[in-house]
Amino acid sequence: MKKLMIINGPNLNLLGKREPEIYGSLSFTEFLDEVKNKYKNVSISHFQSNIEGELIDKLHEVGFEYDGIILNAAAYTHTSVGIGDAVAAIQTPVVEVHISNTFDREEFRHQSYVAPHTKGVIVGFGLQSYELAIQSFLG
Ligand code: DQA
């Protein structure tokens, strides 16, 4: 069974409540339950933190063991050399995801310190971005 880990960065614990016009009204737990139900032959774990160093620690912890990491580093995507370096340092392939189309938003969201070290980037499909990332690790 493939082992995938979803890592969510700051403020994503508020999904469903936070700016629903941008991020939708479904909580991540509700979404994850649906996805786990749909992909029963895949082990899908989830970790969320608002703290940069905890995200880096989690990347180190799973990055030599899991088959794939789906990373939404949220605002840290645009600021964190440390998270970019962590993604470069580990062996597990990482797919970067964003719920909103970051290229259709403020210019500071166009920059990613993570993307150059990833297998690929999925942007702007709402929570479906995560499902597309899961599919990218299957087959
Ligand atoms: C986000 C986009 C980021 O720019 C923002 O800071 C987030 C969420 C997204 O999933 O659309 O917190 O990563």
Side-chain angles (χ1 to χ4, degrees), residues 10-12 18 23 72 74-75 77-78 97-100 102 105 109:
N11 304 305
L12 293 174
R18 169 195 187 196
Y23 298 112
N72 186 348
T77 307
H78 319 301
V97 301
H98 297 286
I99 298 164
S100 62
T102 46
R105 301 181 64 191
R109 296 186 204 274

Side-chain angles (χ1 to χ4, degrees), residues 54-76:
E54 287 187 0
L55 297 166
I56 293 172
D57 283 345
K58 185 53 79 177
L59 286 163
H60 293 176
E61 186 191 315
V62 301
F64 295 89
E65 199 203 320
Y66 277 60
D67 298 301
I69 296 171
I70 295 154
L71 174 64
N72 186 348
Y76 288 142

